[in-house]
Amino acid sequence: MIDTLILTLDATMRVSTPLIFAALAGMFSERSGVVDISLEGKMLAAAFTAAAVAYLTNSAWLGLSAAIMVSVCLAMLHGVACVTFRGNQVVSGVAINILAAGLTMTLGLSWFKQGGQTPQLTDAARFSTIEFPGAEMMREVPVIGGIYSEMLSGHNIFVYLAFLAVPFTWWLLFRTRFGLRLRAVGENPKAVDTAGISVHRMRFAALLCAGILCGFAGAYISSAQNAQFVRDMTAGQGFIALAALIFGKWRPLPVLGACLLFGFLDAVAVRLQGVEIPGLGKAPIQLIEALPYILTVVLLAGFFGKAVAPKAIGLPYVKER
Amino acid sequence: MKGLDRNLPTWVNVGLLPLLNVVTALLVSAVVFWLIDVNPLEAAEILLYGAFGYQEGIGFTLYYTTNFIFTGLAVAIAFHVGLFNIGGEGQAYIGGLGVGLLCLALDASVPGPVLLLLSALSAALFGAAWAFIPGWLQAYRGSHIVITTIMFNFLASSLMVYLMVNVLREPGQMAPQSRALAETAWLPYIHDLFAAIGVEFERSPLNISLFLALLCAFGAWVFVWKTKWGYEIRTVGSNQQAAVYAGIKPARVMLLAMAISGALAGFVGVNEINGVQHRLLLDFHYGYGFAGIAVALMGRNHPIGIVLAALLFGALYQGGAELAFEMSNVNRDIVVVMQGLVILFCGALEFLYKPLIANMFKEKTA
């Protein structure tokens, strides 16, 4: 029983990693007042780029760099559309999602001729796992040994980075001048403008952060968690991350909690595949998988707690003359 | 961007700017074709031939057009009340479920015309219900419609997988699909209608739900511009505060608009299940809901514009299939790219050329 739990938690950490990166990305963007439903598209494009470049250069790190660049480009496109030209932020996000889905498949098929997939990555082109010191020795110790060697040790660098990114984001957003300004731009842009700070520049800076984080999320999915890019690889994880962002009420620690909860649900769903539960019959996997969406809808409806979005979210800033 | 605030003549706003945006979307598409080593002009030729060059192609084009009219109108009706319904995907899916459940229950006992009428009603009802909940949550609980409709797309998808795998699957079948519906639940094909009057037309999935779509477009025009409800919808959409002073209850108007929006999206189920698939199965709705956004944006939320934009998208879909068939290094996803570009340039970047044009006007008048 304990072993099963440890294995499930181990899987939870792996599954939560892209959610954490993407949800933090969303936090930067939405805290600055820009709706970001294009997390999915940025992740997908980054996943494709990471796999393609890592395959061509045989270097996981070059793949990651390229993934970040592509994701940042999409974030800047979002910025040009909805900050510079005051376009509808939701429309822009939808466009980026659709564009990423189409482009990854079109370019993938034409470049690699494998039906839109990228070729399998060799170990050198992937991110390998990191074993903690003494993990092998600890394995035999009951419970603690399992937690240390199975759950905490043996992930790749992204997993640890994701968990470090949460306190870092908290510090950046809530303890620095940059963070104060970024949050102010999302709550009351006029006040920020009055203080002589460019609203547009702050929003672009926030989108830059979002782009970088989505790059990490995408590269993790295709070149660390898996060893190639396949069609629609992100499979809605960008939207789950968005749900986690809302569920965590746009705050770093609760968002981490939401990501872990959603990741845990996913890990449980995989584990329960085809398992008979006494008295209930087969577990309805679809229900467990749908729980993040249901929880988010219920939360948004204010049935427990209240998620209050940044006040200026979705509104393009118009300087008055 | 200075020029963004300047007022421009109407013909520039509704004519020139949209035209420039569409042209830009097409030019960038051409760049993508060039990136994958396809001559854009050659591709355009194949696309056009595939969509309009022969009878079967035309049939397919109009069959896709039918779905796009439904989802395009759905997005537009919600737009008029100021809501952005990106749940067309889920509403179309659940609309199909409505058709499937009704026909599976009644196709043995109810005569054809009645059954078809009932299944259209069922599609509308199920689609409307699926849109009503996010609408209600927005109107009365303040939860944002965009987020809830995204969530409802996923919920629709999970629900359908559950039902198809565990409840509705034909016994003894591996594939998650229901039994075939009795022929009384099939909509007449256009080629059969033509054959009945002695005209030969190649077989295609095109069926009479195209007429339902055109009827809906006309109905939407009457509803939005000629009725009291439509007036209220447009009033709430343009100024909610003013609507309240005029004695309109915005929450109720929003619910009405969302329900109609969902019902329209639900009709995709009629075209797909009654018209073509003749059984309930997974993912028959795929992509139509999102394409509806592009259709509504291109069509400027007006039924005539939407029918034309739907025809363009129908042609793109069918032409894209032809392109994928003709060229080994192209797949149908190139159409998804073009769709994304249309949404980007006609929707998100709709003011892209405004500063430039505004400058030109300034110089002329100065």
Side-chain angles (χ1 to χ4, degrees):
Chain A
M1 185 62 207
I2 290 280
D3 283 349
T4 317
L5 185 65
I6 289 174
L7 281 176
T8 312
L9 291 176
D10 178 53
T12 301
M13 286 182 66
R14 280 198 302 272
V15 185
S16 306
T17 298
L19 299 183
I20 296 170
F21 280 124
L24 291 178
M27 185 160 8
F28 276 101
S29 172
E30 303 216 332
R31 277 283 184 170
S32 81
V34 180
V35 175
D36 200 355
I37 60 171
S38 62
L39 295 173
E40 177 84 2
K42 288 199 281 262
M43 272 163 81
L44 190 67
F48 172 72
T49 314
V53 173
Y55 170 75
L56 294 173
T57 61
N58 213 21
S59 157
W61 291 99
L62 282 178
L64 171 65
S65 319
I68 290 175
M69 267 160 53
V70 165
S71 171
V72 165
C73 284
L74 287 179
M76 291 301 108
L77 179 64
H78 192 49
V80 168
C82 46
V83 177
T84 311
F85 286 101
R86 293 182 216 151
N88 185 316
Q89 302 179 355
V90 176
V91 174
S92 168
V94 170
I96 288 173
N97 285 337
I98 293 179
L99 205 54
L103 274 177
T104 51
M105 290 307 296
T106 305
L107 296 179
L109 177 78
S110 147
W111 289 347
F112 299 107
K113 311 238 181 302
Q114 296 190 2
Q117 303 183 352
T118 61
Q120 281 276 342
L121 296 177
T122 58
D123 281 343
R126 288 187 64 193
F127 287 92
S128 51
T129 55
I130 298 169
E131 293 293 336
F132 282 8
E136 267 317 302
M137 270 158 46
M138 289 282 285
R139 200 169 291 270
E140 297 310 313
V141 185
V143 186
I144 300 173
I147 291 176
Y148 184 73
S149 62
E150 198 55 62
M151 192 182 123
L152 296 179
S153 166
H155 294 288
N156 55 63
I157 189 165
F158 284 96
V159 178
Y160 304 112
L161 274 181
F163 282 88
L164 289 178
V166 178
F168 179 72
T169 302
W170 173 82
W171 174 78
L172 200 60
L173 281 181
F174 293 89
R175 285 294 176 271
T176 66
R177 194 162 64 175
F178 169 75
L180 179 69
R181 287 173 176 178
L182 192 149
R183 284 181 294 129
V185 159
E187 297 289 338
N188 192 343
K190 200 172 281 177
V192 180
D193 196 15
T194 314
I197 298 155
S198 163
V199 172
H200 286 191
R201 201 171 302 159
M202 281 312 298
R203 288 191 170 164
F204 268 103
L207 286 171
L208 176 72
C209 299
I212 293 171
L213 285 164
C214 282
F216 275 101
Y220 170 76
I221 291 174
S222 67
S223 64
Q225 200 177 18
N226 300 286
Q228 70 177 149
F229 175 85
V230 296
R231 185 189 182 102
D232 273 333
M233 186 158 212
T234 46
Q237 289 181 75
F239 294 111
I240 293 261
L242 193 65
L245 176 65
I246 297 160
F247 200 65
K249 304 179 181 180
W250 291 271
R251 296 174 171 279
L253 258 186
V255 165
L256 172 67
C259 290
L260 288 173
L261 172 68
F262 293 173
F264 179 71
L265 289 173
D266 203 26
V268 170
V270 171
R271 214 149 252 291
L272 285 181
Q273 204 93 48
V275 174
E276 293 275 343
I277 298 177
L280 283 172
K282 272 208 181 123
I285 308 295
Q286 291 80 19
L287 181 65
I288 299 173
E289 281 172 350
L291 267 178
Y293 306 117
I294 297 175
L295 288 174
T296 306
V297 168
V298 173
L299 175 84
L300 273 176
F303 289 120
F304 52 81
K306 185 82 189 153
V308 182
K311 274 197 199 68
I313 200 163
L315 305 170
Y317 180 65
V318 185
K319 213 180 173 103
E320 267 172 299
R321 263 161 261 274
Chain B
M1 286 281 151
K2 263 191 167 159
L4 281 177
D5 297 314
R6 198 160 295 139
N7 287 322
L8 291 172
T10 315
W11 69 269
V12 175
N13 274 331
V14 302
L16 184 62
L17 286 178
L19 185 72
L20 284 173
N21 291 327
V22 175
V23 170
T24 312
L26 292 179
L27 282 179
V28 177
S29 308
V31 173
V32 176
F33 275 110
W34 172 77
L35 265 181
I36 56 171
D37 275 330
V38 172
N39 179 346
L41 289 177
E42 201 185 324
E45 206 183 310
I46 297 175
L47 261 166
L48 275 176
Y49 175 77
F52 300 112
Y54 56 102
Q55 288 180 353
E56 192 192 353
I58 295 173
F60 266 95
T61 296
L62 292 177
Y63 148 66
Y64 292 127
T65 302
T66 307
N67 283 339
F68 293 132
I69 294 177
F70 288 137
T71 54
L73 289 173
V75 174
I77 295 272
F79 254 134
H80 280 294
V81 83
L83 296 180
F84 195 32
N85 175 18
I86 56 178
E89 214 50 26
Q91 290 141 22
Y93 213 1
I94 296 296
L97 175 67
V99 173
L101 288 180
L102 184 110
C103 291
L104 286 171
L106 298 181
D107 64 353
S109 50
V110 175
V114 181
L115 185 68
L116 291 173
L117 205 66
L118 284 177
S119 54
L121 276 178
S122 178
L125 217 63
F126 272 64
W130 205 249
F132 185 87
I133 308 169
W136 184 84
L137 289 169
Q138 159 93 40
Y140 290 101
R141 312 284 315 190
S143 41
H144 202 286
I145 196 106
V146 168
I147 305 293
T148 36
T149 46
I150 289 178
M151 302 297 145
F152 268 67
N153 285 342
F154 285 102
L155 291 179
S157 190
S158 297
L159 178 68
M160 284 296 284
V161 172
Y162 176 75
L163 288 177
M164 293 313 303
V165 171
N166 298 301
V167 184
L168 298 171
R169 172 164 39 184
E170 186 173 12
Q173 274 282 335
M174 274 311 286
Q177 52 183 32
S178 77
R179 68 170 170 82
L181 303 177
E183 282 204 35
T184 43
W186 298 15
L187 282 175
Y189 283 112
I190 297 289
H191 56 79
D192 286 337
L193 286 185
F194 273 119
I197 54 167
V199 180
E200 192 123 342
F201 194 84
E202 279 176 48
R203 295 182 63 86
S204 77
L206 181 62
N207 58 75
I208 60 164
S209 56
L210 173 66
F211 301 120
L212 175 65
L214 294 174
L215 201 68
C216 283
F218 179 71
W221 177 75
V222 172
F223 178 77
V224 172
W225 280 279
K226 299 289 162 199
T227 67
K228 172 174 160 279
W229 300 296
Y231 176 74
E232 292 184 348
I233 284 176
R234 284 180 293 131
T235 310
V236 172
S238 54
N239 190 338
Q240 204 164 316
Q241 230 101 43
V244 174
Y245 284 115
I248 298 169
K249 294 197 173 74
R252 285 171 57 183
V253 177
M254 280 180 189
L255 282 184
L256 174 70
M258 275 309 281
I260 292 175
S261 173
L264 285 165
F267 281 142
V268 168
V270 175
N271 186 25
E272 287 295 324
I273 308 298
N274 290 128
V276 181
Q277 312 289 357
H278 304 145
R279 61 172 79 230
L280 196 53
L281 71 181
L282 293 177
D283 291 336
F284 59 83
H285 68 303
Y286 205 74
Y288 294 118
F290 286 123
I293 300 167
V295 170
L297 286 170
M298 266 191 93
R300 298 258 140 182
N301 299 318
H302 192 284
I304 295 176
I306 286 170
V307 170
L308 293 175
L311 184 64
L312 176 83
F313 267 82
L316 272 181
Y317 258 53
Q318 165 54 16
E322 186 87 4
L323 198 63
F325 182 72
E326 289 281 321
M327 295 184 156
S328 63
N329 62 336
V330 180
N331 50 15
R332 293 184 66 171
D333 294 279
I334 187 73
V335 177
V336 180
V337 177
M338 298 176 82
Q339 186 185 321
L341 290 170
V342 166
I343 298 183
L344 183 69
F345 286 101
C346 297
L349 285 166
E350 67 180 318
F351 304 126
L352 182 63
Y353 294 106
K354 199 172 172 191
L356 193 79
I357 304 280
N359 253 344
M360 284 162 59
F361 269 85
K362 197 171 122 201
E363 273 160 32
K364 253 188 3 199
T365 47

